[in-house]
Amino acid sequence: MKIYVPLDSAAVALGADKIAAAITDEAARRGIAVEVVRNGSRGMVWLEPLVEVATDAGRLGFGPMALADVAGLFGDLAAHPKAVGLVEELPWMKGQTRLTFARVGVIDPLSLDDYRAHGGLAGLERAVRMTAPEIVAEVTDSGLRGRGGAGFPTGIKWKTVSEAVADQKYIVCNADEGDSATFADRMLMEGDPFTLIEGMAIAGLATGATKGYVYIRSEYPVAIRVMEAAVRIAREAGVLGPRFDMEIRVGAGAYVCGEETSLLNSLEGKRGVVRAKPPLPALQGFLGRPTVVNNVISLASVPVIMARGAAYYKDFGLGRSRGTIPLQIAGNVKYGGLYEVAFGLTLGQIVNEIGGGTASGRPVKAVQVGGPLGAWFPVSLFDTPFGYEEFGAKDGLIGHAGLTVADDTIDMLQMARFAMEFCAIESCGKCTPCRIGSIRGVETLDRLARGDSSAIPLITDLCNTMKLGSLCALGGFTPYPVMSALTHFPDDFVRAKEAAE
């Protein structure tokens, strides 16, 4: 028998390690030879731990598994109480366009042979036969934009580094995934690490960089372990070597180190504070050398672009938002998890059709898109297509594509206060609008909670100052959740006044 049990952190938190051990023990007790493969997660978190049994018809899924369900895997599978059918035929899987995540949950993450058998390294092999400008042009033509939140065209960044003159250049992968409701980077690194390695190697060929670093937050121990093992395997197999090699570095957990210049300071062993721009990291980045700083999903999207061509990738999406985006659906939602799809679905389709509405069964009140610094969208804006410019036109941002769903019991004044408090705690302290503005923001929102409606113009003015005056997105984006809450849910702020009276 061949049985797949996820090593994904979410699945492990729900008991996957104990399930894997129980399967091995039960097979030994019965005298049955079994191969347990620790794969990545398919993204259906509500079914984790999702165990899959390989059959002639395909991989049958069983979940959410408990220890009491293990023995049934060695009997009549059709009669198993946790049977969900063929995993690939589940509506959640069939509705997706999996390009970046095509292998996650399918392969053994640390088997390079398995990776090759499922199309891995085809992009790198093609890139080796191309010139650096040709690789840059392919990425540019694909329309790929930074999936870490900024949405900056990846090809333009690569072109800048490629044309820079320097004795040493670097590729830095920003894996400091710290936003609430985001887990795509972690899932990719845990479930298909060679995709990220391949993408970074291609970036090295395109820019002339010979060294790469993956900066992972310390809270991701499984991702760190898997990536370190994958780098060793890739180096031994000759995928990494003199032309391009890489290392895994672990951050201490500061949220602000998700900002590229703070990350570079931390990577250099300095305090993680924001650098003023210019100079841009593309010209003076790590150790003062030209550096590509890209998010995990941006780099992991490159292999499929190089393997299938820019036109294939660009055919998905809408407007200037091309390709696919891994949606991370969380919060008070029935079906939470990762769902990769082309840009263009409306927010309502994502929340109600894919996510299944709220887990509580109560009406949806709002969805925060883009992490803790993203705007809250009310139901009246659920017709907004999921795209960078489309969300920007509604004073929102896609960010890392994390969505937090909330029902009608949520207090939006408290959510606005949380955003300001989060900024105050996580601020690096480099600039006054963020360092002081966030503290004054908490105080001002507390005045509102006590019924002082005269604080509304003050919080509005404060948010405008933070948005325009902060050095980086931490202070600059904090006004998004605050002002969207105040704009779309004014009753929550009025009720606070009435309660105080």
Side-chain angles (χ1 to χ4, degrees):
M1 295 181 68
K2 193 171 188 177
I3 301 178
Y4 295 81
V5 183
L7 56 70
D8 178 87
S9 292
V12 169
L14 292 166
D17 285 350
K18 293 179 180 178
I19 296 295
I23 290 172
T24 301
D25 292 344
E26 183 68 19
R29 189 179 69 81
R30 293 171 179 255
I32 297 174
V34 64
E35 178 186 358
V36 177
V37 178
R38 302 305 300 274
N39 60 322
S41 173
R42 296 279 194 160
M44 295 175 282
V45 178
W46 75 95
L47 287 178
E48 295 292 5
L50 176 63
V51 172
E52 299 178 38
V53 178
T55 71
D56 292 339
R59 281 159 61 168
L60 295 174
F62 303 86
M65 286 286 287
L67 291 175
D69 303 315
V70 170
L73 295 175
F74 298 90
D76 183 0
L77 295 179
H80 196 287
K82 297 294 181 67
V84 297
L86 292 170
V87 175
E88 296 288 352
E89 296 300 315
L90 295 176
W92 179 272
M93 297 302 299
K94 291 188 71 174
Q96 298 187 53
T97 303
R98 286 211 163 193
L99 299 182
T100 306
F101 280 76
R103 286 175 289 267
V104 176
V106 177
I107 66 170
D108 177 346
L110 293 177
S111 170
L112 194 56
D113 289 338
D114 210 359
Y115 182 68
R116 287 181 184 273
H118 288 81
L121 298 182
L124 180 58
E125 288 166 357
R126 180 181 174 223
V128 168
R129 300 190 297 269
M130 300 168 68
T131 65
E134 288 173 340
I135 299 172
V136 171
E138 193 80 4
V139 173
T140 303
D141 293 345
S142 74
L144 178 66
R145 295 168 68 173
R147 297 292 191 252
F152 188 80
T154 303
I156 293 178
K157 184 179 291 188
W158 286 21
K159 186 174 189 290
T160 303
V161 176
S162 181
E163 294 178 350
V165 178
D167 59 346
Q168 177 69 60
K169 301 177 185 180
Y170 297 99
I171 307 297
V172 173
C173 174
N174 183 348
D176 191 59
E177 184 177 52
D179 284 349
S180 52
T182 59
F183 39 87
D185 292 355
R186 175 185 60 74
M187 283 184 59
L188 192 286
M189 290 186 290
E190 292 175 352
D192 190 13
F194 294 120
T195 293
L196 176 55
I197 292 171
E198 182 178 359
M200 291 183 69
I202 293 170
L205 291 174
T207 61
T210 58
K211 185 72 174 182
Y213 296 92
V214 181
Y215 183 97
I216 308 178
R217 61 190 304 106
S218 59
E219 293 89 341
Y220 282 178
V222 177
I224 294 167
R225 173 174 57 81
V226 172
M227 283 301 304
E228 287 178 339
V231 167
R232 287 196 299 270
I233 293 168
R235 190 178 294 125
E236 291 168 0
V239 176
L240 296 174
R243 178 178 289 185
F244 183 82
D245 205 354
M246 56 188 285
E247 296 178 19
I248 308 302
R249 295 289 179 89
V250 180
Y255 178 80
V256 75
C257 286
E259 192 278 333
E260 61 179 5
T261 62
S262 295
L263 184 155
L264 291 173
N265 274 337
S266 177
L267 195 60
E268 292 177 3
K270 302 172 184 175
R271 182 183 173 200
V273 296
V274 177
R275 299 178 183 176
K277 300 176 187 176
L280 297 172
L283 297 175
Q284 293 182 37
F286 182 59
L287 300 177
R289 304 304 207 287
T291 305
V292 167
V293 184
N294 276 145
N295 161 263
V296 172
I297 304 304
S298 305
L299 290 162
S301 298
V302 170
V304 70
I305 292 171
M306 295 305 300
R308 300 194 181 189
Y312 173 84
Y313 191 80
K314 192 174 184 178
D315 192 46
F316 299 96
L318 84 160
R320 291 181 55 214
S321 303
R322 310 313 307 176
T324 60
I325 183 76
L327 304 170
Q328 297 133 89
I329 307 169
N332 188 344
V333 67
K334 188 175 183 180
Y335 301 121
L338 184 135
Y339 195 97
E340 185 179 358
V341 69
F343 286 97
L345 289 181
T346 66
L347 185 57
Q349 286 176 301
I350 295 168
V351 174
N352 296 318
E353 296 177 19
I354 298 172
T358 64
S360 64
R362 298 183 64 89
V364 175
K365 180 174 181 176
V367 179
Q368 187 177 33
V369 183
L373 307 183
W376 286 95
F377 273 48
V379 175
S380 60
L381 293 180
F382 272 22
D383 61 346
T384 306
F386 209 83
Y388 292 104
E389 280 67 39
E390 290 73 15
F391 264 67
K394 301 292 177 65
D395 293 323
L397 52 97
I398 283 181
H400 194 32
L403 298 94
T404 302
V405 181
D407 71 12
D408 60 355
T409 63
I410 196 169
D411 184 339
M412 298 309 298
L413 174 56
Q414 290 302 312
M415 292 299 98
R417 187 189 188 282
F418 170 80
M420 279 293 184
E421 184 180 33
F422 180 86
C423 181
I425 293 170
E426 296 292 349
S427 175
C428 76
K430 182 72 175 285
C431 69
T432 303
C434 177
R435 182 183 72 250
I436 303 300
S438 55
I439 295 174
R440 297 289 88 86
V442 172
E443 296 170 352
T444 306
L445 289 167
D446 283 343
R447 284 174 54 185
L448 271 170
R450 293 193 297 267
D452 183 0
S453 58
S454 67
I456 290 180
L458 184 58
I459 194 67
T460 302
D461 184 58
L462 178 61
C463 282
N464 189 54
T465 299
M466 292 179 67
K467 185 175 181 179
L468 298 178
S470 297
L471 269 177
C472 80
L474 177 54
F477 283 177
T478 294
Y480 279 82
V482 177
M483 292 308 301
S484 60
L486 180 59
T487 300
H488 299 302
F489 307 97
D491 289 350
D492 285 18
F493 294 79
V494 173
R495 279 199 295 272
K497 178 177 182 297
E498 293 174 344
E501 292 174 348

